[in-house]
Amino acid sequence: MESVIRKRPVVLSIVCVLGFIWIVFSFPAVFSPSVKKLGDWYPALFGLIVAASFISYIGVWYMKRWGVNLYIITFFVKEIILIFIDDVNYVGILFSVFFISSMVSFYKRMDTNL
Amino acid sequence: MIFLGLFRESVFFAINALVVNKLRTFLSLLGITIGIFAIITVFTIVDSLEQNLRKSVQSLGNDVVFVEKWPWTFGENYPWWKYMNRPEAGYNELDEILRKCNGAQSAAFVTSTQITVKYKSSSIENVTIICASHQYDKVKNFEISTGRYFADIESSAGRPVAIIGDVLAQALFPNQNPLGHSIKINGAKVDVIGVFKKEGESILGGSSDTQILVPINYARSLIDIRSENLNPQIMVRAKAGVSNDDLIDELTGLMRSIRRLKPMAEDDFALNQTSLISNQFDSLFGVIGIAGWIIGGFSILVGGFGIANIMFVSVKERTNIIGIQKSLGAKNYFILLQFLFESVFLSLIGGIIGLLVVYIITLLAGDSFGMEITLSKSNIILGFTISILIGVVSGFVPAYSASQMDPVEAIRAN
């Protein structure tokens, strides 16, 4: 139960800031006409991914392990959906892989509690 | 069960927040309501217009090519003076197309103009009369509710027979069957042999409800079918399995040979297809959609900040309760979910109000404009998605900060 304040490495701060910027740009895309055209359920799925990503970045910002876990799950779900709709973005994957490797490298220093 | 209990409790807190601070909650929810209203209204209008347009284009035929003098779309600096000197499509060219075009399933020569129709003392002005050759029923999609289409002999011999639109039938023959009666077109008697099935308003105009169809060979006695004002055209429907592009290629060669154009000479005809119209509208709808997206996006952004604000205030007001809950053993996730559900619930209320306003407007607009405007399932899903998303994103940080509170300090807080 004991919550320990842990110092966040600069790399993770940069990752989180970039992530929040991505959220700011992705959020309006959830209800953009182009996303809506992909299918009735796609905006809902995309919205879920954006919300989950946002929460995971907050978790990483507070140095919580659940943030990293949630980010990895969200990444795989997002990529599976993108493969299904044939819209894989390799630059996006590269960024995500960099983010995940940065998060995982500090995983042991993170808090296990919520 | 614990989630149900949490959900019930959060709903109770949210309703309590609504009741206790009516004005504050109303102002905060207004942003979400306006945002959802703006986005869903624009999407609903665009979807409805697209649906109506698609229906209208489908009635013209997706696999039909129109041989005409003028193209339907122009770019910038188009040489209109060249088009002016082009000859009109001719009836004799139809025979050539029917004989030589392998990709054509059927073809018809069509002209139209405005006339006055009379039956006894009833008279209707500016009725569109369509004068068409026999295969018109094979190139144009329409249904006949009463009566029949022209017989081959009626078309070729130019008998005075007509098929009239449903609205005209209702106006000229109230409470009686129009079949077997004669109407007067420009003073000439014409027998009604059929009535078109009611089509409804068409976004492109030219609904068959207000039209009269007569054989082209009969129309020669009434009007000058060569006149440029009648917009003569040859409609060619592609055979099954033949694409429009292939048909256009074949027709281009065929029309050039019919008009004996030299190899270097430019085409003196236009081959139009319905996709030209839908493409033009697609770009227009795209712009409208983006405009609604931007306007609604800003409203939702403001609404999101409103919800975040209300949640921070809510956390501040209930700090003591959070402390007591935690000291009695409530887990962090319990507190987090409690506030998160509350935020989502508040946001959903805003979204539902927005969707209700859109629904009422669609009912009113549908009656006023005579066009079918429907709030589709996909737009309702989108409205709920945006509301939930806003609730989660704007409520998570206050909820998380509440969940991280020290119970002792929380109880002591004023």
Side-chain angles (χ1 to χ4, degrees), chain B residues 36-37 40-41 44 353-362 375:
Chain B
I36 296 286
F37 166 75
I40 303 299
T41 303
T44 299
I353 296 169
L355 283 172
L356 275 175
V357 175
V358 177
Y359 179 68
I360 292 165
I361 286 176
T362 57
L375 177 59

Side-chain angles (χ1 to χ4, degrees), chain A residues 4 8 16 25 30-31 39 42 50 73 78 84 88 96-98:
Chain A
V4 183
R8 185 177 53 253
C16 288
F25 282 102
V30 172
F31 43 92
Y42 191 71
V50 171
I73 293 167
K78 184 177 76 182
F84 268 108
V88 181
S96 294
V97 168
F98 167 70

Side-chain angles (χ1 to χ4, degrees), chain B residues 26-42:
Chain B
F26 169 75
L27 291 173
S28 301
L29 295 187
L30 202 61
I32 300 284
T33 303
I34 292 170
I36 296 286
F37 166 75
I39 288 178
I40 303 299
T41 303
V42 170

Side-chain angles (χ1 to χ4, degrees), chain B residues 209-220:
Chain B
D209 293 350
T210 53
Q211 289 178 344
I212 294 180
L213 177 66
V214 295
I216 188 85
N217 286 336
Y218 171 67
R220 288 171 197 274

